[in-house]
Amino acid sequence: MPLRTASLAALLALTLAAPLPAQEMQALRDEVGDGAPMSYIGTRCAAFFISSAATLGDQIDEAMQEQVNNIVALLLMTAVNAMVETEGMDREAARDAATEEAMALTEAYRARFEANMEAGNAAFAEDPMYMTDNEDCLAVLVGEPEPAATE
C-alpha cells in the first residue's frame, strides 16, 4: 500500500484505533527525552496534524486539508524510513506499524481535546502540552533539530 494511501487510511480509521488515555500523554519533547525512537517523532507529529485538522473541521478548507494530508504523508514516510533504517524493520511492517501508531496517537489527541472541552476549555488553544507539541512539530517540518526534553 503506498504511503499516501496509508496516511489517508489512518485518517479514515480513527475510530478503530485503541486510544491512549489522554491524561497519560506527555509532551513530544519529553517523550524524545525519555528515549522514544526517531520514528516516534514522525508518527506523533502526523497524529498531531490529523487530530488538529479533524477538531477544526469545517474551519479548514479543502486546500488546507490537502496540505494537511501531504504533511501527514511526509511525516509517516519519515517514520517508516526511520523504522527501516534505525529499527531494522522491513518496509511493509514499518508502514503498518507507523500507521497503527499514528492512529492510536491521533485518538489520544482527540480524547485529550474532548476532555479539555468537557472541562469548559478550548479544545487545544489553552493546553500547554498541545502548544509545545505545536512548536516541536512545526520545527520538524522546517527542519530544525529534534525536540529537546524539558527540564
Side-chain angles (χ1 to χ4, degrees), residues 133-148:
D133 283 4
N134 181 57
E135 181 181 320
D136 293 341
C137 290
L138 290 175
V140 167
L141 289 180
V142 298
E144 293 179 9
E146 68 182 63

Side-chain angles (χ1 to χ4, degrees), residues 2 12 16 28 31-32 34 37 43 47 50 58 63 67 72 80 86 90 93 95 98 103 118 122 128-129 134 142:
L12 297 173
L16 301 176
L28 171 60
E31 296 277 1
V32 171
D34 288 345
T43 57
I50 292 168
D58 291 341
Q67 288 180 345
V72 168
V80 167
T86 63
D90 72 55
R95 276 189 206 120
M103 288 169 45
E118 287 174 6
M129 187 208 75
N134 181 57
V142 298

Side-chain angles (χ1 to χ4, degrees), residues 21-25 48 51-52 55 107-133:
Q23 64 274 15
E24 289 184 21
M25 287 188 82
F48 173 86
S51 60
S52 297
T55 300
E107 192 56 37
Y109 273 116
R110 287 172 45 116
R112 186 176 183 94
F113 299 163
E114 288 175 17
N116 287 344
M117 290 185 294
E118 287 174 6
N121 300 315
F124 47 76
E126 300 168 10
D127 185 335
M129 187 208 75
Y130 178 89
M131 299 310 284
T132 61
D133 283 4

